[in-house]
Amino acid sequence: MSLATDLLLIVVGGGALWYGADRFVESAVALARRFGLSDVVTGVVVVGIGTSAPEVAVSADAALRGSPDIAVANVVGSNFFNLGLILGTVALLGRVRVRGQLLRRDGVALLLATLAVLGLLFDRRLGRPEAVLLLVGLAVYLVVLLRRSSRSTPIAGGEAVEAGQGDRPLLVALGLLGGLALVLLGADVLVQGASALALDAGVSEWAVGITVVAAGTSSPELAAALAAARQGRPGLSAGNVVGSSTFNLLAVLGVAGVIEPLSVAPNAPGSLLWLCGLVVLVLVLFRSGHVLTRVEGALLVLAALARWAVDLLGGA
């Protein structure tokens, strides 16, 4: 295929992922409420996992296609995107106030998840038993989240869930199935395009996965974060990107590794070490006055872009 065709597949796949995930989450929330689930359960489990559907679908599809570098790089790159570009951009738009709970609970969970993935992937392999450990960690994280009793819950990777929407059962079911189908189809098309782009452009699948694919699967989080910032709720964006990053490490890598054991590129440990440094930097900035300033936001953006440049140059 030509480079133009590869890029078209990536754009089409990313668009299908975005729209499908949006329809899937909206219908899943309506269905959960119809069955009488609480706002907390609906928010944390249904929306939290639903908004991670693009990353899960892409990494699972890449694992099945024998492209482990794309499967893992998608997760690492998505977290660079979340913590560097999204969080940094929101801070550039205006100061972000950080709740203590975000630092003490979600920040610590993210750091532990990042260190765990670094340790498990330092030999550049993720076997099924190790992937199961990540899923166990996800279960523990969900139990902690479900202990919250607030009526409106900031979600990992999505918007806050507001009470009270109703839909016809048939429309809800169609939205749920249609959204899921679009997510799966978009993931397949995106991975095809990314693999072909790596081959045609002469770069590694890791380099494409950590940049192009990660940007595509993280675009819904970017839209949600910018919407929250425009509404004067930048603190919600901070909670969402931190939670989403933890979900990516535990859920996405856990599912992909259970489907197929993963072996990754030589520069994977270096990217994970950089990600650990970025997580520590985010937590230090959160702790400093519990406010993320514009200067600090610019620092986060530069840190993410610097690693992307290293991976692109190393994969050329």
Side-chain angles (χ1 to χ4, degrees):
M1 290 190 291
S2 67
L3 288 176
T5 303
D6 301 339
L7 291 173
L8 179 61
L9 287 175
I10 289 171
V11 171
V12 171
L17 276 174
W18 187 335
Y19 185 76
D22 188 55
R23 297 282 73 76
F24 177 79
V25 170
E26 182 180 312
S27 301
V29 169
L31 187 64
R33 290 229 173 83
R34 191 166 289 278
F35 279 97
L37 297 182
S38 69
D39 281 348
V40 173
V41 174
T42 300
V44 172
V45 179
V46 178
V47 179
I49 294 176
T51 51
S52 292
E55 285 87 355
V56 173
V58 166
S59 288
D61 188 86
L64 287 170
R65 284 179 169 275
S67 298
D69 279 342
I70 290 180
V72 179
N74 172 44
V75 172
V76 178
S78 291
N79 281 14
F80 279 131
F81 200 93
N82 284 343
L83 299 170
L85 295 181
I86 296 180
L87 188 58
T89 300
V90 170
L92 285 171
L93 295 175
R95 292 160 61 91
V96 178
R97 295 199 175 277
V98 179
R99 293 178 295 114
Q101 186 183 55
L102 175 64
L103 180 63
R104 293 190 302 270
R105 184 195 61 204
D106 300 303
V108 170
L110 174 59
L111 179 59
L112 292 176
T114 307
L115 290 172
V117 170
L118 172 65
L120 294 176
L121 271 171
F122 207 75
D123 62 353
R124 296 169 46 208
R125 289 186 53 82
L126 184 71
R128 285 195 176 94
E130 297 165 323
V132 169
L133 284 177
L134 293 178
L135 293 177
V136 170
L138 172 66
V140 172
Y141 183 51
L142 285 174
V143 168
V144 172
L145 289 178
L146 288 171
R147 293 177 62 185
R148 291 185 295 182
S149 59
S150 58
R151 186 63 180 168
S152 180
T153 308
I155 304 308
E159 300 89 342
V161 176
E162 304 297 339
Q165 73 174 32
D167 291 284
R168 298 175 184 174
L170 179 59
L171 292 178
V172 170
L174 289 175
L176 191 68
L177 295 176
L180 181 59
L182 275 175
V183 167
L184 296 176
L185 177 63
D188 192 57
V189 172
L190 182 61
V191 171
Q192 282 187 55
S195 299
L197 179 64
L199 181 63
D200 293 339
V203 298
S204 67
E205 288 192 343
W206 177 269
V208 173
I210 205 169
T211 53
V212 177
V213 175
T217 58
S218 298
S219 54
E221 282 92 339
L222 175 61
L226 293 178
R230 285 197 303 269
Q231 295 165 11
R233 305 167 72 189
L236 176 59
S237 302
N240 286 345
V241 297
V242 170
S244 176
S245 298
T246 306
F247 264 71
N248 287 343
L249 292 165
L250 300 177
V252 181
L253 279 181
V255 170
V258 166
I259 291 174
E260 190 69 33
L262 305 171
S263 298
V264 293
N267 49 344
S271 294
L272 283 166
L273 278 170
W274 195 286
L275 180 60
C276 283
L278 181 60
V279 170
V280 171
L281 175 61
V282 167
L283 298 184
V284 169
L285 295 179
F286 279 178
R287 182 70 179 83
S288 176
H290 292 279
V291 172
L292 199 61
T293 66
R294 286 186 171 89
V295 173
E296 293 167 341
L299 180 60
L300 293 178
V301 171
L302 290 174
L305 291 177
R307 186 62 213 187
W308 272 8
V310 169
D311 279 307
L312 277 174
L313 292 175

